Amino acid sequence: MRFIPTKIHGALDYVLGIVLIVSPWLFGFANGGAAQWIPILLGAGVIVYSLFTDYELGVVSAIPMTAHLGLDVVGGLFLAISPWLFGFADQVLWPHLIFGILEVGAGLMTSTTPYQSAQEIGHRM
C-alpha cells in the first residue's frame, strides 16, 4: 500500500539526510569508525539523489521516482544491518536499525508517481 505522497517523501528525504549526517554527534557515537561514517555517507547520498529525483522537491529530473525508492530500500537495509555487518552492534545499534527500518518503510509506502515532476515545476537544468 503506497499512501505517502511524493512531496511529503521529498521533505522527509532532506530531513533524514541531515539527521543521518548529525546522528553520530547527536547520539554519541562519533568515534571515527564505521558506526560514524556509514550514516554520514548514507545521509549525504540521500540528499544528493533527492536533488536529482524527478519529484516535487527535486532540482534536476534525472532519477525516476521508482529508482529513488529502490535506493531508499537498499540504503535502509544496508543501514539497518550495518551494525552486524561491520561488527559494532555491541557499541551502537539502535540509531542505525531504527533509521534503516524507517527508510525501508518510506521506500515501500511512497507513491511511485509524483503529483508534479521537477521538470514541470521548472527546476530542470
Side-chain angles (χ1 to χ4, degrees):
M1 180 182 335
R2 295 185 176 271
F3 58 88
I4 300 172
T6 56
K7 190 171 186 176
I8 299 296
H9 183 101
L12 293 173
D13 281 335
Y14 294 109
V15 170
L16 176 66
I18 292 167
V19 169
L20 286 174
I21 291 168
V22 301
S23 67
W25 295 274
L26 192 63
F27 299 110
F29 58 90
N31 60 6
Q36 174 183 334
W37 285 105
I38 289 169
I40 291 171
L41 294 173
L42 286 174
V46 167
I47 291 170
V48 169
Y49 70 76
S50 295
L51 290 169
F52 285 88
T53 297
D54 187 19
Y55 66 165
E56 295 89 347
L57 297 180
V59 177
V60 178
S61 57
I63 300 172
M65 193 63 200
T66 53
H68 173 109
L69 296 174
L71 288 170
D72 284 346
V73 170
V74 170
L77 287 171
F78 178 74
L79 183 60
I81 66 169
S82 66
W84 295 278
L85 192 62
F86 292 94
F88 57 82
D90 57 333
Q91 301 159 354
V92 60
L93 164 70
W94 293 109
H96 297 75
L97 184 60
I98 291 169
F99 290 130
I101 290 170
L102 289 174
E103 189 172 7
V104 169
L108 296 175
M109 293 186 279
T110 298
S111 174
T112 58
T113 307
Y115 178 71
Q116 265 188 312
S117 72
Q119 184 177 1
E120 292 170 333
I121 294 170
H123 292 159
R124 188 154 195 224
M125 293 181 153

